[in-house]
């Protein structure tokens, strides 16, 4: 595997910008990397070959005009128009203007560029567009990574991708140390220490575009269900649980604050109660997981071991096809790809 891993990104937002900056920063450093090498692959083995968006203030401009404070190898890459299948609220684009292409044009663009992976980083609530991007990846012959809550990693999709020797990975990215991962870890730790969880909630407040989009009732409810189900797996018995984004606060910027309350019982039913908060940066919190997953998928694909898609998805997403306990996810992933 001497060739660079070629990836294309849809959605030139905060996460994509941070990802591009990271690939530049980690040319000469490993500080902050969860897994500096996976199967011999470092971040230097990844390259960006295309970026797509629908915001007319970004489309047609070079990356350096979007990331003005950071020079990367990809600064001269032109942001191309993506596809749009959803009704878009005016706040999703900076000037309210959309610039998109029809499906066939997008597929032809992918076929010309020939990325190995298409990374879906578009805003929450754009389910139809996410599904179309997955379909386009399949038709163009590249694997698909879905960071959004749209349900793309279905059993049918997996069969279709596998039939072409490709992977579909998803759904709904779980950050390295974000609200869901931390919540799952705390419940798992209580459980292995013999403490019986009774009730819990997690309330998230954020200030970025994705949080704003999540405020749409249908999107908020779907993401709440995904988070709640993801957390529930960590306890051996059912318990009262609610988890989800509750408010958008512009002043937080790309930060997210998660508030947790948990009630559990110990010896003689003594009460154990936890009340705390966690503040993280959304964009940086997701990049380690994305870059780990892409390298792992490259390794698995090179061995034609398509079944490893389940291991990668369980590690990287809140709503994977096969759910595992968080400690099991990490162990299975590292056992498969770390050495």
């Amino acid at each position: 595997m001497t060739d660079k891993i070629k990836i294309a990104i849809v959605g030139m937002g905060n996460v994509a910008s941070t990802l591009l900056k990271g690939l530049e920063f980690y040319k000469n450093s490993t500080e902050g990397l969860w897994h500096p090498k996976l199967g011999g692959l470092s971040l230097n083995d990844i390259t960006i070959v295309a970026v797509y968006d629908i915001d007319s203030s970004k489309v047609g401009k070079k990356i350096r005009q979007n990331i003005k404070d950071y020079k990367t190898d990809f600064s001269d890459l032109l942001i191309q128009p993506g596809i749009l299948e959803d009704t878009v609220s005016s706040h999703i684009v900076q000037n309210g203007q959309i610039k998109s292409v029809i499906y066939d044009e997008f597929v032809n663009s992918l076929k010309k560029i020939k990325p190995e992976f298409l990374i879906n980083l578009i805003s929450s609530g754009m389910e139809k567009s996410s599904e179309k991007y997955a379909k386009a990846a399949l038709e163009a012959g590249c694997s698909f990574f879905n960071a959004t809550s749209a349900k793309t990693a279905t059993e049918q999709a997996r069969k279709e991708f596998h039939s072409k020797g490709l992977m579909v990975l998803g759904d709904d990215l779980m950050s390295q140390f974000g609200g869901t991962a931390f919540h799952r870890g705390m419940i798992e730790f209580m459980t292995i220490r013999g403490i019986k969880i009774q009730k819990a909630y997690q309330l998230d407040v954020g200030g970025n575009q994705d949080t704003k989009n999540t405020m749409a009732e249908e999107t908020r409810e779907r993401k709440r269900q995904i988070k709640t189900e993801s957390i529930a797996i960590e306890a051996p018995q059912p318990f009262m649980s609610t988890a989800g984004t509750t408010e958008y606060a512009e002043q937080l910027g790309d930060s997210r604050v998660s508030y947790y309350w948990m009630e559990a019982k110990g010896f003689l039913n003594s009460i154990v109660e936890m009340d705390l908060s966690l503040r993280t940066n959304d964009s940086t919190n997701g990049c380690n997981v994305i870059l780990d997953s892409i390298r792992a998928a490259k390794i698995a694909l090179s061995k034609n071991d398509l079944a490893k898609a389940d291991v990668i998805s369980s590690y990287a997403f809140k709503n994977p096809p096969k759910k595992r306990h968080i400690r099991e996810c990490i162990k299975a992933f590292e056992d498969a790809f770390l050495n």
Side-chain angles (χ1 to χ4, degrees), residues 198-219:
Q198 301 287 303
K199 306 171 187 175
Y201 68 69
Q202 173 194 331
L203 309 177
D204 295 336
V205 180
N208 62 18
Q209 194 65 64
D210 194 66
T211 302
K212 193 171 187 178
N213 299 341
T214 302
M215 289 298 96
E217 190 58 39
E218 184 180 344
T219 304

Side-chain angles (χ1 to χ4, degrees), residues 38 55 67 106 118 135 146 172 186 197 235 239 244 281 293-294 304-305 314 332 339:
L38 288 172
D55 187 338
I67 309 177
F106 182 78
L118 182 64
K135 182 181 177 183
N146 178 41
D172 204 352
M186 290 307 302
I197 187 77
F239 63 98
N281 180 282
S293 301
I294 296 307
N304 199 30
D305 190 358
S314 294
N339 297 318

Side-chain angles (χ1 to χ4, degrees), residues 77-277:
L77 206 61
L78 206 65
I79 301 172
Q80 302 181 61
I83 51 180
L84 178 64
E85 295 290 322
D86 300 273
T87 302
V88 177
S89 301
S90 59
H91 68 261
I92 288 181
V93 290
Q94 293 177 15
N95 60 7
Q97 299 296 314
I98 299 294
K99 191 167 186 179
S100 61
V101 294
I102 62 172
Y103 173 80
D104 287 343
E105 285 184 59
F106 182 78
V107 172
N108 288 336
S109 174
L110 286 183
K111 287 180 176 178
K112 182 179 178 181
I113 295 166
K114 296 180 180 178
E116 293 173 80
F117 298 93
L118 182 64
I119 314 296
N120 183 27
L121 299 177
I122 66 174
S123 297
S124 294
M126 299 176 68
E127 270 64 34
K128 292 179 182 178
S129 298
S130 290
E131 290 167 8
K132 210 73 171 181
Y133 278 125
K135 182 181 177 183
L138 178 65
E139 187 172 338
C142 59
S143 295
F144 187 68
F145 180 102
N146 178 41
T148 80
S149 60
K151 190 60 181 171
T152 62
T154 63
E155 185 60 35
Q156 180 61 33
R158 290 164 70 206
K159 288 179 181 177
E160 291 173 350
F161 274 83
H162 285 191
S163 71
K164 290 190 171 185
L166 305 169
M167 285 185 176
V168 55
L169 303 170
D171 295 303
D172 204 352
L173 182 68
M174 182 169 66
S175 295
Q176 179 183 1
F177 202 75
T180 301
F182 181 82
H183 198 163
R184 289 179 65 176
M186 290 307 302
I187 291 174
E188 191 255 7
F189 186 63
M190 283 183 170
T191 298
I192 63 173
R193 296 295 297 176
I195 304 298
K196 188 176 181 181
I197 187 77
Q198 301 287 303
K199 306 171 187 175
Y201 68 69
Q202 173 194 331
L203 309 177
D204 295 336
V205 180
N208 62 18
Q209 194 65 64
D210 194 66
T211 302
K212 193 171 187 178
N213 299 341
T214 302
M215 289 298 96
E217 190 58 39
E218 184 180 344
T219 304
R220 179 163 55 176
E221 188 55 40
R222 180 173 55 259
K223 289 179 74 70
R224 179 178 294 166
Q225 182 180 356
I226 290 171
K227 284 188 176 185
T228 302
E229 290 176 356
S230 177
I231 290 158
I233 192 175
E234 299 301 334
Q237 79 289 331
F239 63 98
M240 293 179 64
S241 176
T242 302
T245 301
T246 57
E247 194 52 75
Y248 166 75
E250 184 180 4
Q251 57 269 38
L252 282 175
D254 199 36
S255 295
R256 178 179 299 270
V257 181
S258 298
Y259 299 95
Y260 305 87
W261 175 82
M262 304 176 205
E263 183 179 282
K265 289 185 177 181
F267 188 70
L268 287 179
N269 285 330
S270 58
I271 298 296
V272 177
E273 189 172 355
M274 192 183 321
D275 196 349
L276 50 86
S277 66

